[in-house]
Amino acid sequence: MGFRTIIEPFRIHSVEPLVMTTPEQRRAALADAHHNLFALHSADVLIDLLTDSGTGAMSRDQWAGVQRGDESYAGSPSWFRFLEAVRDLFPFEHVIPTHQGRAAESILFTAVGGDGRIVPNNTHFDTTRANVEYSGATAVDLVIPEGRDSQSLHPFKGNMDLEALDALLTEQRADVVPLVMVTITNNSGGGQPVSLANLHGVRELCDRHGVPLFLDACRFAENAWFIREREEGQGDRDVVDIVREMASLADGMTMSAKKDPLGNIGGWLAMNDDDLAEQCRTLEILTEGFPTYGGLSGRDLEAVAQGLRESVQHDYLRYRIRSTAYLGEALAGAGIPVVQPIGGHAVYLDAGALLDHIPPTDYPGQALAVALYETGGIRGCEIGSVMFGLQPDGTERPAAMELVRLAIPRRTYTQSHIDYVIEVCTQVAERAGELRGYRITSPPRPLRHFTAQFEAVA
Ligand code: F0G
């Protein structure tokens, strides 16, 4: 429109107070939490960038949907509104609602996983990996090499390595790989998008080898916006068209409606295969509920149905992607190493590079995340060796990168909140050399980052 400033495309209708704390109070809260930020009381957090999952602000029309929610056990109108909204973007034959993404993963991998099976993905998110492994199968990450290089400027760093995928599918017997999964955007790799061309390439390989393709589509709208902005020939398309094309390349999907669909809770599993759907619905009844509500209330179904419509609006996506980049560019401009290019839902600080005096075994990401909280009440999330270092055989291996993710809840914080975050990060970076590492004092557990207790290394 000729203006440089991209404003929040909404005004504020209802506010939540933020409570200021002193550094002493935050140090006490950290001690109580054994320096695990998941153990903090969120009331003690000023700016909560732990996750973009379920933490967004709902719109007026979503709240109106909450009022319309119909709590009939079976066949509620809210279910049919949800189904219609899902199918409008993802026209799969079967849609199986779940209370969140990992419930969809659990059902899917209970059905198709199992001992000896292998599931390739560009990069498994941690719950996806855990569900694959819990079934007895092996999770293999095949992102392109640029996706593992925090400074590569490749526009689609979430892309699948097609050669590696072809080699894996050629080497394995057909029944060993039950499906190929592509995560859009690639959360664990920095919120990086996957191109349409790459999805077409994966589809061709899946066709050639007779293996179905599933999308882990939590951030599908952000991925589609990146395609529109970065991929040749896509710049004039409506995001809705791009989303439908992505869906048309897949045989099914898992979804966490807590991300792009702007819900506080929700998810689904969808597919075209009738037999698989039958099996999954049986599992769903055991674990989630009747197939027209699947662990959700009618009002949740309504909120997600409306959120889906809002998630693909161009003004919203332009603001969403631009405001994340605003944070990332300011931090990079202040000399703080961040994963490039800036992803869709989060900025990833490269703690390994910033705190290169702390070895991976002393968890530089944890040190940085704790310092951000202590200094300014900002809660981020370590994505490094705390999260990924513990191997299934109990040994410890450093993660590929030592990152701290600052995830941006949708439509929740204003530019001045983000300016404050920039200031706090800059202050912490200025005294990076003083930060010390951490050691884990609690016994090893799967998904240990949620529960581990830490103490500072002397
Ligand atoms: N897949 C991806 C790519 C995710 O990012 C998540 C959740 C899930 C699946 C699981 O969905 O939480 O609804 O069960 N990611 C959140 C995060 C937790 O903070 O990135 P869920």
Side-chain angles (χ1 to χ4, degrees):
M1 250 113 329
F3 294 104
R4 198 175 55 80
T5 307
I6 295 173
I7 62 167
E8 288 87 356
F10 49 81
R11 57 186 181 182
I12 292 163
H13 170 73
S14 171
V15 299
E16 281 183 274
L18 288 177
V19 179
M20 307 288 173
T21 50
T22 62
E24 292 68 42
Q25 286 171 323
R26 293 194 290 272
R27 274 192 282 277
L30 277 170
D32 284 348
H34 299 276
H35 295 85
N36 185 330
L37 302 184
F38 284 97
L40 291 172
H41 293 212
S42 67
D44 296 331
V45 176
L46 186 59
I47 308 282
D48 203 347
L49 308 182
L50 184 66
T51 177
D52 64 321
S53 181
T55 52
M58 291 215 297
S59 67
R60 174 194 63 190
D61 293 342
Q62 284 180 289
W63 285 110
V66 167
Q67 280 296 329
R68 205 168 44 231
D70 178 306
E71 305 303 340
S72 302
Y73 188 90
S76 147
S78 299
W79 154 248
F80 289 106
R81 278 192 281 271
F82 172 90
L83 183 62
E84 190 191 332
V86 171
R87 282 240 185 90
D88 185 47
L89 294 172
F90 304 99
F92 292 111
E93 211 51 50
H94 304 280
V95 177
I96 299 173
T98 60
H99 80 278
Q100 63 183 89
R102 66 198 70 183
E105 294 163 3
S106 164
I107 292 172
L108 179 63
F109 293 111
T110 302
V112 306
D115 286 339
R117 302 219 145 163
I118 298 176
V119 179
N121 196 324
N122 44 352
T123 310
H124 288 84
F125 179 66
D126 57 357
T127 62
T128 324
R129 171 174 286 277
N131 273 301
V132 168
E133 289 174 352
Y134 191 71
S135 80
T138 304
V140 179
D141 292 341
L142 298 179
V143 74
I144 55 169
E146 291 89 337
R148 298 179 203 270
D149 168 3
S150 75
Q151 296 312 301
S152 157
L153 290 175
H154 192 291
F156 291 102
K157 281 169 81 172
N159 280 355
M160 183 79 90
D161 183 334
L162 296 176
E163 251 174 64
L165 179 63
D166 193 21
L168 185 143
L169 294 174
T170 306
E171 191 180 302
Q172 300 299 335
R173 283 199 332 268
D175 60 338
V176 169
V177 181
L179 54 83
V180 171
M181 205 154 199
V182 178
T183 304
I184 52 173
T185 57
N186 189 25
N187 181 9
S188 308
Q192 303 292 334
V194 175
S195 71
L196 260 187
N198 188 256
L199 273 180
H200 276 277
V202 175
R203 174 76 259 169
E204 271 169 41
L205 289 176
C206 287
D207 282 341
R208 190 162 350 126
H209 294 279
V211 178
L213 168 59
F214 272 62
L215 299 176
D216 175 346
C218 305
R219 298 179 180 86
F220 70 97
E222 293 168 6
N223 199 95
W225 185 259
F226 280 122
I227 287 174
R228 187 177 189 275
E229 293 226 300
R230 295 183 184 168
E231 193 160 352
E232 183 131 2
Q234 303 297 324
D236 293 327
R237 288 182 77 184
D238 194 311
V239 157
V240 169
D241 278 348
I242 297 174
V243 172
R244 288 184 188 137
E245 182 173 341
M246 297 192 301
S248 75
L249 295 170
D251 301 288
M253 68 187 294
T254 57
M255 175 64 102
S256 168
K258 304 173 73 169
K259 281 82 173 181
D260 276 358
L262 295 162
N264 296 132
I265 196 72
W268 66 86
L269 169 64
M271 65 202 65
N272 289 326
D273 183 315
D274 298 337
D275 294 337
L276 179 60
E278 171 82 26
Q279 227 182 317
C280 291
R281 283 212 178 89
T282 304
L283 289 166
E284 142 144 284
I285 293 172
L286 287 176
T287 57
E288 289 286 282
F290 191 72
T292 66
Y293 73 86
L296 294 169
S297 59
R299 54 182 171 270
D300 299 326
L301 293 166
E302 294 276 0
V304 171
Q306 176 58 27
L308 268 175
R309 291 190 190 97
E310 295 172 13
S311 73
V312 288
Q313 288 171 2
H314 286 197
D315 285 346
Y316 161 68
L317 283 169
R318 185 177 292 114
Y319 140 79
R320 170 75 178 153
I321 298 301
R322 182 62 214 137
S323 57
T324 306
Y326 173 83
L327 171 60
E329 286 166 12
L331 296 179
I336 299 171
V338 296
V339 173
Q340 296 283 1
I342 307 305
H345 68 296
V347 174
Y348 293 69
L349 311 179
D350 188 342
L354 183 66
L355 307 180
D356 57 6
H357 60 289
I358 301 181
T361 44
D362 290 352
Y363 309 126
Q366 187 65 20
L368 181 57
V370 168
L372 292 176
Y373 176 73
E374 187 179 332
T375 307
I378 296 166
R379 175 158 69 169
C381 183
E382 193 267 4
I383 301 203
S385 292
V386 174
M387 191 179 271
F388 298 120
L390 182 64
Q391 304 305 303
D393 65 3
T395 59
E396 181 97 18
R397 194 168 68 209
M401 296 192 258
E402 302 294 339
L403 305 177
V404 172
R405 183 181 74 168
L406 303 180
I408 318 293
R410 293 173 180 76
R411 307 188 294 202
T412 303
Y413 293 113
T414 63
Q415 187 167 343
S416 63
H417 291 122
I418 297 299
D419 285 335
Y420 170 83
V421 172
I422 294 164
E423 231 183 296
V424 172
C425 290
T426 308
Q427 224 187 74
V428 169
E430 278 163 4
R431 52 181 187 81
E434 295 164 24
L435 302 189
R436 293 284 158 269
Y438 282 85
R439 76 166 65 90
I440 295 180
T441 56
S442 51
R445 289 199 195 97
L447 297 177
R448 67 174 172 184
H449 53 287
F450 291 129
T451 55
Q453 301 184 346
F454 299 87
E455 74 184 11
V457 172

